[in-house]
């Protein structure tokens, strides 16, 4: 565990220290998010935060390769190198989009290229035999692997709409997956519980922790498409790598749930962004628009519309992500009654965080503003940030 904690600290420290440098670079090259109708920020904000995350990831992998406990992952599995290559590809595509605004087809091609490189080099979903018979070919599993990466990448991209939202949700999900993967590997291989899935999850936790201080409301820098696509790829990579811990004989013995749980848990971990993406696709398709056409009807936008402040909306979605991800992770190891108790407690916390702040705001006595304060009060009643600058 100490080795993984060191990896988290290195990833967080490098990401945190390089983010101000990346912010200055973004301002210099013009990678600045303009004011758009669907946004809630009030002044242009630099992006390219994914570049700092990539640097944190690279530094963490270098340190991990020098730790005897984790060096076994690099000696027996080429996965870490090719995950880094895939990450570099999506970050490069994201940086180009952050600067010159690529079209959707070009971004999709870059995502497919990154996923294809990883799958071609062995970071691919495991073929599980059902009843002793392998139903899907290697080519089919490669296609499914690419689809998993695409869905994860775009789900995180869709939910990246408020300061600190995507980094926080992914960080929470990665923490839950890290605990699950570590416990799973330690239980299955007691003498060597290092794994690529756990390593990538730890790095994901680290880069999110390092970036959040710069990105939480009011944000000084955005992660941009370079950051959201990187986080989505890292979550998909740890998921895909976790299937290598599955013993195919468990499927032959008709123990289906334990065998497929590594695939089901990440769905719960990223259920909030997945749901937001699915709702957006359905909503835009029914309206006769392309599903990638942006709007202002995401879950976080609706939380703002019903009266939550920026920070309360973000913390509410954090609570949803924690409830789903940690609830799913604990259900793999705890008896059903205890898992239900954890879920019930988390559900009560979710309800409290969702509705109590709104109730308190409505019960707050209304003070008649003076002539010079009336405009400020009207702007604040819209639920949008009222600060005029972010530095």
């Amino acid at each position: 565990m100490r080795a993984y904690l060191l990896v988290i600290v290195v990833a967080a420290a490098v990401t945190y220290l390089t983010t101000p440098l990346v912010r200055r670079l973004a301002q210099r090259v013009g990678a600045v998010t303009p004011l758009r109708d669907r946004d809630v920020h009030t002044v242009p904000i630099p992006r390219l935060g994914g570049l700092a995350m990539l640097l944190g990831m690279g530094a963490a992998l270098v340190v991990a390769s020098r730790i005897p406990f984790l060096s076994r992952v690099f000696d027996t599995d080429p996965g870490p190198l090719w995950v880094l290559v895939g990450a570099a590809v999506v970050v490069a595509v994201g940086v180009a989009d952050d600067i010159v605004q690529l079209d959707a087809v070009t971004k999709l091609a870059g995502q497919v290229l990154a996923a294809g490189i990883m799958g071609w080099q062995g970071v691919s979903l495991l073929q599980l035999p059902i009843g002793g018979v392998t139903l899907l070919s290697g080519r089919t599993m490669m296609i499914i692997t690419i689809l998993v990466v695409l869905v994860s990448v775009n789900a995180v991209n869709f939910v990246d709409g408020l300061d600190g939202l995507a980094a926080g949700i992914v960080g929470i999900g990665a923490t839950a997956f890290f605990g699950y993967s570590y416990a799973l590997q330690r239980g299955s291989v007691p003498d060597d519980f290092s794994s690529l899935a756990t390593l990538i999850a730890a790095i994901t936790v680290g880069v999110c922790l390092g970036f959040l201080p710069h990105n939480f409301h009011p944000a000084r820098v955005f992660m941009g498409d370079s950051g959201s696509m990187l986080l989505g790829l890292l979550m998909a990579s740890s998921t895909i790598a976790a299937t290598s811990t599955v013993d195919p004989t468990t499927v032959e013995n008709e123990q289906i749930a334990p065998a497929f749980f590594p695939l089901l848990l990440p769905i719960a971990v990223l259920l909030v962004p997945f749901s937001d993406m699915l709702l957006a696709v359905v909503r835009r398709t029914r309206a006769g628009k392309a599903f990638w056409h942006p709007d202002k009807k995401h879950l976080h936008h609706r939380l703002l519309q019903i009266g939550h402040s920026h920070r309360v909306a973000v913390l509410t979605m954090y609570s949803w992500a924690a409830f789903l991800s940690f609830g799913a992770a604990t259900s793999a190891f705890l008896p059903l009654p205890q898992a239900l108790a954890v879920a019930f407690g988390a559900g009560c916390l979710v309800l409290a965080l969702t509705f109590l702040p709104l109730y308190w705001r409505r019960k707050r006595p209304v003070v008649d503003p003076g002539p010079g304060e009336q405009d400020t009060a009207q702007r604040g009643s819209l639920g949008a940030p009222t600060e005029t600058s972010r530095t």
Side-chain angles (χ1 to χ4, degrees):
M1 177 62 76
R2 287 179 296 180
Y4 287 121
L5 292 178
L6 177 60
V7 168
I8 292 174
V9 170
V10 170
V14 174
T15 302
Y16 177 80
L17 294 174
T18 56
T19 296
L21 303 178
V22 169
R23 180 176 179 271
R24 294 174 187 171
L25 175 64
Q27 292 174 323
R28 185 177 296 271
V29 300
V32 178
T33 304
L35 299 182
R36 300 166 297 188
D37 291 339
R38 69 179 187 271
D39 294 326
V40 297
H41 60 280
T42 57
V43 295
I45 305 293
R47 41 196 179 192
L48 292 186
L51 192 56
M53 295 180 182
L54 181 65
L55 294 174
M57 175 190 177
L61 284 175
V62 170
V63 171
S65 66
R66 299 293 186 269
I67 301 175
F69 170 72
L70 293 176
S71 62
R72 306 167 191 170
V73 177
F74 296 82
D75 295 338
T76 60
D77 190 346
L81 172 62
W82 294 108
V83 171
L84 180 60
V85 172
V89 171
V90 295
V91 169
V93 173
V95 167
D97 182 65
D98 289 338
I99 297 175
V100 299
Q101 292 290 303
L102 301 177
D103 60 89
V105 175
T106 302
K107 288 197 292 184
L108 181 63
Q111 296 166 11
V112 171
L113 175 62
I117 290 174
M118 294 193 304
W120 178 54
Q121 293 297 329
V123 186
S124 180
L125 291 171
L126 179 69
Q127 300 183 62
L128 297 179
I130 307 299
V133 178
T134 301
L135 302 179
L136 302 177
S137 65
R139 180 177 298 179
T140 302
M141 295 305 297
M142 169 72 79
I143 295 174
I144 295 176
T145 298
I146 293 175
L147 289 176
V148 168
V149 175
L150 292 180
V151 171
S152 181
V153 164
N154 288 284
V156 176
N157 193 18
F158 270 59
V159 83
D160 182 26
L162 295 180
D163 297 353
L165 183 58
I169 287 180
V170 173
I172 291 169
T175 301
F177 192 80
F178 168 76
Y180 166 80
S181 178
Y182 180 81
L184 180 68
Q185 187 69 17
R186 185 166 187 172
S188 59
V189 189
D191 58 336
D192 180 13
F193 40 90
S194 59
S195 71
L196 177 61
T198 312
L199 175 61
I200 297 300
I203 291 175
T204 308
V205 173
V207 297
C208 290
L209 289 176
F211 186 69
L212 264 175
H214 300 283
N215 186 236
F216 199 74
H217 184 72
R220 296 185 296 275
V221 62
F222 290 160
M223 66 174 64
D225 278 4
S226 57
S228 61
M229 290 197 296
L230 173 61
L231 293 181
L233 181 133
L234 290 178
M235 287 300 299
S237 300
S238 58
T239 299
I240 293 167
T243 63
S244 63
T245 63
V246 177
D247 183 3
T249 61
T250 60
V251 183
E252 296 179 6
N253 293 333
E254 299 181 354
Q255 298 176 3
I256 301 297
F260 282 95
F261 200 80
L263 299 178
L264 299 178
L265 177 61
I267 296 177
V269 166
L270 291 178
L271 189 58
V272 172
F274 283 160
S275 301
D276 192 31
M277 181 181 68
L278 180 60
L279 290 173
V281 170
V282 173
R283 179 177 65 249
R284 296 167 185 174
T285 303
R286 292 184 62 183
K289 300 178 180 179
F291 67 86
W292 59 82
H293 186 76
D295 58 27
K296 201 172 182 179
K297 297 182 179 179
H298 289 283
L299 294 176
H300 49 271
H301 290 132
R302 296 183 185 275
L303 288 173
L304 293 176
Q305 290 168 4
I306 65 175
H308 287 309
S309 67
H310 194 123
R311 292 191 179 188
V312 170
V314 171
L315 293 175
T316 297
M317 296 191 71
Y318 282 3
S319 67
W320 293 349
F323 167 59
L324 293 169
S325 56
F326 283 98
T330 55
S331 66
F333 302 103
L334 293 178
L336 182 59
Q338 297 181 25
L340 290 176
V342 171
F344 178 76
C348 292
L349 180 61
V350 169
L351 292 175
L353 289 176
T354 303
F355 294 108
L356 284 180
L358 181 60
Y359 175 79
W360 288 331
R361 289 184 65 187
R362 288 180 175 176
K363 288 295 184 180
R364 187 180 302 168
V366 178
V367 179
D368 185 22
E373 301 175 351
Q374 188 171 359
D375 292 340
T376 302
Q378 289 175 349
R379 288 196 301 269
S381 65
L382 299 177
T386 58
E387 61 272 1
T388 59
S389 64
R390 296 176 183 176
T391 56

